[in-house]
Amino acid sequence: RDLHSFPTRRSSDLDGDLAIIGAPTGGKVTGQPGTAASRPGQVFVYARQHNTPPTPDSWNFEAKLSPNDPSDWSEFGESVAIDGNFAVVGADGDVGVDPTSPAYFVGAAYVFERKSPGNWVQVAKLRPPNPKLVGQRINTTDNTYFGIRYGRTVGIDGDRLVVCAAKTDIMDSTGNTVITIDAGSVWIY
């Protein structure tokens, strides 16, 4: 696939003969009209085909990764990382976990495993432990809270994952006063 045809590619990673490219504003949620507001994001995986010289090696499309639970503006593919047969994909716009209190940009990280060439399976969805307690500001006008953007950056090395959040605030010991705004945070799994 021509790189110029990717919808807003923002992230990429390479490991051996596999390449992964995130397009956080691509795709559409099933049943949605495909407008900008319904674009959940997509990730594309390419595998290198080794050719006999003088023919150069080529990169062939292998798979399109999508979350099992796509949602509007989740920004799936905001960050990507790949190591061997595992990939982790950040979706820092993913919605909150409390359906009674709307949340924006809480975020998530998805882990995929390559079972065979072209067959990638989602094996986990990671969320911040408690998004309301890790420094999200409350909008008192409509009682919504603004997310920490968990999954803004991700990394993988062997059996270790790292997921970063861009908008974590540092609170005082009571949890009521913001000391530092948008300090960020890191989770290591």
Side-chain angles (χ1 to χ4, degrees):
R1 185 167 180 177
D2 183 342
L3 286 179
H4 297 291
S5 65
F6 279 101
T8 317
R9 60 198 176 280
R10 192 170 298 158
S11 57
S12 60
D13 195 19
L14 179 69
D15 183 52
D17 289 338
L18 293 174
I20 186 169
I21 300 169
T25 60
K28 66 179 182 177
V29 177
T30 304
Q32 297 290 330
T35 64
S38 68
R39 294 182 179 169
Q42 316 176 81
V43 170
F44 301 92
V45 179
Y46 286 82
R48 180 170 38 197
Q49 176 182 325
H50 295 278
N51 295 315
T52 305
T55 305
D57 291 350
S58 59
W59 288 88
N60 300 316
F61 173 78
E62 179 173 294
K64 179 176 79 171
L65 307 182
S66 299
N68 292 341
D69 60 345
S71 61
D72 290 351
W73 281 111
S74 67
E75 299 184 17
F76 178 84
E78 173 67 25
S79 57
V80 295
I82 190 167
D83 187 44
N85 288 325
F86 288 91
V88 60
V89 177
D92 72 338
D94 197 69
V95 295
V97 295
D98 181 357
T100 64
S101 178
Y104 302 102
F105 308 117
V106 171
Y110 295 83
V111 180
F112 290 84
E113 182 178 3
R114 183 183 193 222
K115 300 290 187 175
S116 62
N119 181 19
W120 288 80
V121 177
Q122 181 182 321
V123 294
K125 179 179 181 180
L126 306 174
R127 303 297 301 251
N130 186 341
K132 287 187 177 180
L133 298 179
V134 287
Q136 294 187 51
R137 292 181 291 281
I138 302 292
N139 179 349
T140 55
T141 306
D142 62 1
N143 201 32
T144 60
Y145 57 99
F146 299 96
I148 63 173
R149 300 200 75 113
Y150 177 89
R152 171 61 62 95
T153 57
V154 296
I156 183 170
D157 184 28
D159 63 352
R160 306 295 283 169
L161 295 174
V162 62
V163 181
C164 301
K167 299 285 185 177
T168 309
D169 295 341
I170 298 175
M171 310 296 277
D172 69 5
S173 61
T174 66
N176 295 318
T177 304
V178 176
I179 298 170
T180 304
I181 296 175
D182 295 344
S185 58
V186 176
W187 284 266
I188 300 173
Y189 299 92

